[in-house]
Amino acid sequence: MPRIRIEEISEGLYLLRVDDDRVRSFEAIWDVPEGATYNAYLLKTEEKTILFDGWKRDYESEFIEALKTLTRIEDIDYIVLHHTEPDHSGTLPKVLELNGYKAKVLGHSVAGRLVNGFYGLADKMDFHAVEDGEELNVGSETLKFLHTPWLHWPDTICTYIEEERILLTGDAFGGFSMPGSIFDEGDMSEYMHYVKKYVVNVVGHYKQHITKNTEKLKGIDVRMIAPMHGIIWKNDPGRIVSFYRDIAEGRVEEGKVLIVYDSMYGFVEGAIEHIMKRLSDKKVKVFKFTDREQDSLSEILAEVPDSEAIVLGVSTYEAGAFPMMEFLARQMAHKTDYRKPVLIVSSFGWGGAAARVIEGILKETSFEMKGAVEYRGRVRDEDLRAIDGILDMLFQGGEQDTGNP
Ligand SMILES: Cc1cc2nc3c(=O)[nH]c(=O)nc-3n(C[C@H](O)[C@H](O)[C@H](O)COP(=O)(O)O)c2cc1C
Ligand SMILES: [Fe+2]
Ligand SMILES: [Fe+2]
């Protein structure tokens, strides 16, 4: 049985949270041994019952049971879709069926098309596309819907419960893992790491929209931020907003260097060991792919935004770059496109190719290629001298720009 939390987080507003400890690869790609939560909410006023989102379909029967502890499902008047990715909309068909399709479904116009595409609900569902800023009176409370596109999909909206000053934010301001607490309290450092990992892996490609939308939400007086993953921000909602912004803008932790390399038989590793010695006064984070260790790509990507410089060590593999490193470079280009200096070191046997492949991928991005050192087999003194020269250049940039427009 998964752990389920049903709690009244403010008068008449309930959290329904399931801790997904079965998910191994979020969206079938990002490894999350820490798990994830899906947070739905139910608001009961004297007049209306409003359900916000749902859970992944894997937990359909648990969701229905949880919901029944708070309301009769036939009594739900509105269902708000903040974002229709199936980790939140998977339970919608069952809820609507048990509700007799009486509830009005509210969301972005794109959300209507998406849930119809996923679940074929067009003929049965009473869908209303909400405008940006549209308000809905539900008795003692007023709901205001705000379009916040691309957090995480084009369909994303937030709901501001005006009288309560609570903002329901969908994926935005969420994080991975299954925190012991439902609110922001105690030591948050471990959770913040999982927030960073979530932002980069899931929303990273749309990071400009984090900046745009947080700007848009800035004017709203918010007492509590309630996202669809992880912690609810009751004590310090401003913290999660600025944390998201910092990631989106690639704010640097001074002196932090990210080193990622592969090494099949230790030849790339030779250069990396030298680099690590040279950078011993820096905060170096090292990840590797060797015959003994395979580090996590989702963890590696999470370290890009606040790194000051990046070193990639890559071996030549079948006339190209080692596959994991090529994939990493592509995802860096896709999700963590920041203006940061990069050094590449590469070893080959009979003809170098790997450095060119990685450079080719990063060339189209904001990353600044400071140089590539390629060598045959083991690293030699002249290669180390060349590497040292580039290392010096990595930290000459001073204050870094983010690469964001
Ligand atoms: C599976 C495999 C494929 C390789 N493909 C190439 C290649 O296409 N071109 C090349 O020059 N060297 C190739 N090599 C040789 C390696 O690039 C070379 O030995 C390099 O020093 C490996 O560094 P590493 O031991 O740190 O991984 C290959 C080696 C292996 C094991
Ligand atoms: Fe999503
Ligand atoms: Fe989500």
Side-chain angles (χ1 to χ4, degrees), residues 262-269 315-320 347-352 375-378:
D262 77 271
S263 196
M264 297 179 284
Y265 295 104
F267 296 110
V268 169
E269 198 158 49
S315 52
T316 307
Y317 185 98
E318 295 174 356
S347 175
F348 60 90
W350 53 94
Y375 51 90
R376 185 187 299 273
R378 72 186 196 284

Side-chain angles (χ1 to χ4, degrees), residues 78-81 92 96 103-107 115 125-129:
Y78 296 100
I79 300 174
V80 177
L81 306 175
L92 178 68
L96 278 175
K104 194 168 208 140
V105 181
L106 307 175
V115 286
M125 170 179 72
D126 177 12
F127 182 80
H128 169 68

